[in-house]
Amino acid sequence: MGKPTGFLEYTRREDGRRPAAERVRDWEEFHLPLPEEIRRQQGARCMNCGVPFCQAGMIYEGKAFGCPLHNPIPEWNDMILSGNWGHALSRLLKANSFPEFTGRVCPAPCENACICGIYGDPITVRDNELSIIEAAFGAGKLRPRRPPQWSGKKVCVVGSGPAGLAAADQLNRRGHMVTVIERAEHPGGLLMYGIPNMKLPKSVVRRRIDLMTEEGVTFVCGVDASEGAVAKRLLAEYDAVILCCGAGAPRPLGLDTTGISGVCYGTEYLKAAVERAQFGKAEAAVPSASGLDVVIIGTGDTASDCVATALRQGCRSVTQLVRRPRTDYLDAAGSLPLDYAHEEALAVTGQDPRRFGVQVQSLVAGESGSLTGVVTTEGDTLPCQLLIGATGFAGCERGVCEAFGVEADRTVRTAPGSYAANADKVFAAGDMRRGQSLVVWAIAEGRSAAAEVDRYLTGYTNLVRSIGKMGNPPDTGMEKFQEIFSWVLGYSHIDSGYPQW
């Protein structure tokens, strides 16, 4: 700890945001970085606790505490304070493959576990993390690192979301020939299509994919692995296949939508919006909210992203229906927190778009079958030409599972503590195995699956599993050495390969 009194001398300062009334007129990123001097003060607030729960990544009483990647947070906070950005980067990349993603979209369970937050405000861990990786990219320090030699083993990763990218990145560093196949036109999965540009710029996703390509990873888009012939070919050509296709099957709305148009799910709507705004695809599967009355069912990140997207598309009105009562969302001070989208709705419409304790009871449609309104459980009718369901996900889609012959219910079944599916040389990771979760958990799953696949291919591994073996004993040699560090300290001391600057 470089400054023992830092948490007493400095107050929490989060990254700024562009004014809501201004940013809602475009799709550009709304985060504003702090000056370096202020950032160093934020690093100085870290106490380097005797037991740093911020990096614990543990499940206790059904709740997650700390970073699932076991990020050595106090170490790079200290390096921010001292201005040693090179060492901060090397520590950060030991545990996190993509800090530029988590630094923007992670809800920061590390901050919820910060001891400073017990009697005050937690450290700005997420903002500090983002500042390190963006400083590195800005200084040109993240250059391609191709493996010194290739193993001769070939691995196919199905799906290019955060879990698939993390698995591909780790296995490529071990010298395996990695090919990532993606059903969509562009790689990135959830990162590309499921998160709006103002939260996660697509240039940031492409920047990472371009870097991975230069390092030796091959990306092939427009390939649907749910086709039996494709799955058969992949199993024949590759030594291992990792399924990272997410948990995109939406939870049904429970409404009779037969013959009614104007109803869609949140992920469909966000994907169509990205295709229009970022890729110039005029004809999308879901209509734009321009000039429409929009009703969104659900809460959470997807619902907020739908609100923000509808405002940018020029909707006539937007209402968000939340099932639970307002009291369930109040903070310790009794105030109702505002997400970025709710700030924008206030700036545009003058009111919070949320109605609590209300759901849709039935739909109203015209003679042509077009949606015209929704009847709520409170008995009133809201004008609505576009109804968006953002109520979560029911599990993974079955097509890929059936094509590869893997057992699945809501998720792919694997042995306890393992990522191996029942089918020979087939593995699964991310939401497809874990169920709907956070980007940071998907990255942890991908890294852990990569370690298991590496050991399957070579007989040993020096990759660290972010998610522990759930009681399985450590192996011998280097893996045992790393397992000890991973369990005791929450991370490994194996060099990340990035020099200081």
Side-chain angles (χ1 to χ4, degrees), residues 124-142:
T124 55
V125 178
R126 180 176 57 191
D127 292 349
N128 290 358
E129 174 181 286
L130 182 59
S131 70
I132 296 170
I133 191 66
E134 288 303 324
F137 272 113
K141 299 300 179 181
L142 272 85

Side-chain angles (χ1 to χ4, degrees), residues 31 93 100 128 150-151 165 228 250 297 342 422 466 469 479:
H31 299 101
L93 292 179
E100 68 270 31
N128 290 358
W150 299 101
S151 68
L165 292 180
I297 304 175
H342 305 137
N422 63 291
S466 302
K469 291 193 173 182
E479 187 173 0

Side-chain angles (χ1 to χ4, degrees), residues 93-270:
L93 292 179
K94 286 184 181 298
N96 191 349
S97 301
F98 313 121
E100 68 270 31
F101 302 154
T102 54
R104 287 178 167 89
V105 302
C106 183
C110 50
E111 295 186 16
N112 292 333
C114 177
I115 292 178
C116 265
I118 296 178
Y119 296 107
D121 295 320
I123 309 303
T124 55
V125 178
R126 180 176 57 191
D127 292 349
N128 290 358
E129 174 181 286
L130 182 59
S131 70
I132 296 170
I133 191 66
E134 288 303 324
F137 272 113
K141 299 300 179 181
L142 272 85
R143 294 184 289 270
R145 297 177 299 156
R146 296 180 71 89
Q149 63 184 30
W150 299 101
S151 68
K153 301 293 185 179
K154 297 171 60 179
V155 180
C156 179
V157 178
V158 182
S160 61
L165 292 180
D169 179 66
Q170 291 290 94
L171 289 169
N172 181 69
R173 300 200 188 290
R174 286 286 288 149
H176 306 307
M177 302 294 293
V178 182
T179 299
V180 180
I181 68 169
E182 170 60 49
R183 179 173 57 183
E185 296 180 15
H186 301 273
L190 169 75
L191 303 168
M192 183 64 76
Y193 289 100
I195 303 174
N197 194 75
M198 56 276 191
K199 282 180 66 176
L200 178 60
K202 304 314 158 195
S203 59
V204 171
V205 181
R206 285 193 292 266
R207 180 179 65 183
R208 175 58 71 170
I209 290 172
D210 289 344
L211 179 61
M212 292 177 63
T213 300
E214 293 184 64
E215 292 177 333
V217 178
T218 300
F219 291 89
V220 181
C221 294
V223 177
D224 190 351
S226 65
E227 298 178 6
V230 174
K232 184 177 180 180
R233 175 172 58 83
L234 295 177
L235 289 171
E237 292 182 3
Y238 292 90
D239 299 296
V241 175
I242 310 178
L243 305 180
C244 302
C245 304
R251 183 178 291 121
L253 291 175
L255 299 169
D256 184 6
T257 60
T258 305
I260 300 178
S261 61
V263 181
C264 65
Y265 290 101
T267 50
E268 298 173 332
Y269 173 66
L270 293 175

Side-chain angles (χ1 to χ4, degrees), residues 190-433:
L190 169 75
L191 303 168
M192 183 64 76
Y193 289 100
I195 303 174
N197 194 75
M198 56 276 191
K199 282 180 66 176
L200 178 60
K202 304 314 158 195
S203 59
V204 171
V205 181
R206 285 193 292 266
R207 180 179 65 183
R208 175 58 71 170
I209 290 172
D210 289 344
L211 179 61
M212 292 177 63
T213 300
E214 293 184 64
E215 292 177 333
V217 178
T218 300
F219 291 89
V220 181
C221 294
V223 177
D224 190 351
S226 65
E227 298 178 6
V230 174
K232 184 177 180 180
R233 175 172 58 83
L234 295 177
L235 289 171
E237 292 182 3
Y238 292 90
D239 299 296
V241 175
I242 310 178
L243 305 180
C244 302
C245 304
R251 183 178 291 121
L253 291 175
L255 299 169
D256 184 6
T257 60
T258 305
I260 300 178
S261 61
V263 181
C264 65
Y265 290 101
T267 50
E268 298 173 332
Y269 173 66
L270 293 175
K271 180 180 180 181
V274 168
E275 290 176 336
R276 284 192 185 90
Q278 304 304 317
F279 305 132
K281 189 175 181 180
E283 297 298 325
V286 177
S288 166
S290 177
L292 304 182
D293 298 296
V294 180
V295 174
I296 299 164
I297 304 175
T299 186
D301 290 337
T302 300
S304 292
D305 291 343
C306 289
V307 170
T309 298
L311 291 170
R312 283 166 173 77
Q313 290 181 338
C315 64
R316 183 161 51 200
S317 69
V318 59
T319 304
Q320 181 182 351
L321 302 183
V322 181
R323 177 177 56 84
R324 290 159 54 191
R326 184 177 183 273
T327 52
D328 286 0
Y329 297 90
L330 301 180
D331 60 20
S335 301
L336 181 64
L338 295 175
D339 200 346
Y340 82 102
H342 305 137
E343 293 177 353
E344 294 171 355
L346 278 170
V348 174
T349 68
Q351 62 184 12
D352 192 319
R354 291 171 289 183
R355 286 183 58 180
F356 295 93
V358 182
Q359 286 292 276
V360 173
Q361 183 170 281
S362 59
L363 307 179
V364 180
E367 294 182 1
S368 63
S370 298
L371 183 68
T372 60
V374 296
V375 180
T376 74
T377 52
E378 292 187 340
D380 61 328
T381 301
L382 300 175
C384 176
Q385 297 84 48
L386 181 59
L387 177 65
I388 304 172
T391 55
F393 302 92
C396 63
E397 298 178 6
R398 298 302 177 89
V400 173
C401 299
E402 293 171 357
F404 283 90
V406 300
E407 296 178 355
D409 35 46
R410 293 184 67 253
T411 58
V412 174
R413 296 176 186 171
T414 60
S418 173
Y419 294 82
N422 63 291
D424 184 43
K425 68 180 181 182
V426 179
F427 300 78
D431 289 1
M432 193 170 193
R433 172 186 175 273

